[in-house]
Amino acid sequence: MIKLIVGLKGTGKTKTLIAEANAAMAADHGCVVCVEKGRKLIYDISHKIRLISSEEYDINTYDRFYGFLCGLMSANYDITNIFVDSITKICGDDLDALEKFLAEVENVIRNIDITITLSKDQSELSEGLKKYL
């Protein structure tokens, strides 16, 4: 399942993501992964959560991120949750590309919940993106 947490800057999206990631780590018996640009969440999320900086792997487009996620999922069958903070900071502001990316990811995920924060107003989203709210 893919879930978008949408709102303008300063509306608490990252705090919600942190709370959900920590709750998932406490509740699930699998591996929880958090992807962000940089490492600003290092002190906010549980040390048991695998924190990955997109900058370390040169992820800056939706195509690269898709390949990275596929590699991540194929290398570790224990992943139960993937959290992505500020996807537009990682891959760019193209909402059409984001919609295509989410559709492609939806086709390959198996028993993994993916939660993504997006700094946009809900009124800017297409119907294809609104289905992930």
Side-chain angles (χ1 to χ4, degrees):
M1 175 186 82
I2 298 173
K3 173 184 165 187
L4 283 177
I5 300 172
V6 179
L8 296 175
K9 184 175 179 171
T11 57
K13 298 176 302 298
T14 299
K15 286 184 181 186
T16 301
L17 180 108
I18 291 166
E20 288 185 14
N22 287 331
M25 187 68 242
D28 291 332
H29 298 291
C31 182
V32 177
V33 177
C34 183
V35 181
E36 68 167 331
K37 186 171 184 169
R39 291 199 169 266
K40 69 179 187 287
L41 299 180
I42 196 164
Y43 299 110
D44 296 316
I45 63 171
S46 168
H47 69 279
K48 296 177 184 177
I49 297 173
R50 172 71 194 262
L51 180 62
I52 300 171
S53 172
S54 62
E55 294 173 328
E56 291 179 21
Y57 297 95
D58 198 28
I59 302 167
N60 53 18
T61 66
Y62 289 105
D63 288 338
R64 286 185 181 185
F65 197 37
Y66 175 78
F68 179 79
L69 285 179
C70 287
L72 194 65
M73 292 183 290
S74 69
N76 187 345
Y77 291 99
D78 292 5
I79 295 175
T80 56
N81 299 82
I82 298 173
F83 294 90
V84 181
D85 190 31
S86 300
I87 188 126
T88 54
K89 287 183 183 176
I90 296 171
C91 300
D93 214 20
D94 184 353
L95 293 182
D96 292 331
L98 173 60
E99 185 175 342
K100 180 183 173 204
F101 166 77
L102 293 178
E104 289 172 346
V105 170
E106 194 171 35
N107 287 330
V108 297
I109 60 172
R110 304 286 184 264
N111 301 320
I112 298 175
D113 291 330
I114 299 178
T115 304
I116 300 170
T117 64
L118 175 63
S119 292
K120 294 287 179 189
D121 188 76
Q122 284 188 18
S123 64
E124 298 178 61
L125 302 182
S126 67
E127 289 303 315
L129 289 174
K130 285 182 180 177
K131 74 179 187 176
Y132 299 109
L133 296 175

